[in-house]
Amino acid sequence: MALYLLVLGVCVLVIGGVLAILLTSGTPRYRTEPEDLLNLFDKALESEINETEWNAIIGYPIRHNEYLDGVRRRAGRLMDQHGRRWQLAQGKSLLDKEGKAELQALRDHLAAHTSLHRR
């Protein structure tokens, strides 16, 4: 009987501890910052990115900053309009020439906006 109470006490203690940790810890959140988008755009312009990395950042909504979410949506439309997914596997660029030019303009605009916002 003593062994039963000991095992029951240890189980209750372990399960209670796990529940307390789960209830007090928050949900992990990822906040996309301007630097993350700038790094992503630089990699895309230099053809050093894969489609999974692009989709992981561009496909994730940015709820804390409406301007960044607009930039993200515009980059997603660029991929829809000028994306060359079938050539990425061959080591070629993610976007065609026109898409690269538009992405460079979007990147420059984001960099200028970010530097003005930080002043």
Side-chain angles (χ1 to χ4, degrees):
M1 184 68 168
L3 181 61
Y4 173 75
L5 291 176
L6 178 66
V7 170
L8 180 66
V10 170
C11 289
V12 167
L13 183 67
V14 169
I15 291 172
V18 169
L19 284 175
I21 290 172
L22 289 175
L23 290 175
T24 58
S25 66
T27 304
R29 304 215 185 270
Y30 175 73
R31 287 180 59 117
T32 304
E33 298 296 333
E35 292 79 20
D36 299 325
L37 288 177
L38 289 171
N39 290 336
L40 180 77
F41 294 163
D42 288 338
K43 283 182 177 181
L45 290 169
E46 296 168 3
S47 301
E48 297 176 354
I49 192 170
N50 59 29
E51 191 176 357
T52 304
E53 186 177 0
W54 175 269
N55 290 334
I57 294 178
I58 297 300
Y60 190 80
I62 302 171
R63 292 188 174 94
H64 67 278
N65 188 327
E66 187 63 35
Y67 174 77
L68 285 180
D69 195 50
V71 170
R72 178 196 65 82
R73 287 192 311 262
R74 178 66 186 133
R77 282 193 299 270
L78 279 175
M79 176 57 82
D80 292 341
Q81 294 170 358
H82 303 286
R84 301 185 317 176
R85 294 175 177 89
W86 62 93
Q87 291 186 357
L88 188 62
Q90 300 169 0
K92 297 186 180 177
S93 177
L94 187 63
L95 298 166
D96 61 8
K97 276 188 172 183
E98 187 178 340
K100 274 187 159 183
E102 289 186 34
L103 185 63
Q104 181 65 46
L106 185 64
R107 188 237 177 267
D108 293 342
H109 181 74
L110 177 60
H113 180 272
T114 303
S115 67
L116 284 174
H117 190 271
R118 294 250 163 99
R119 286 188 195 174

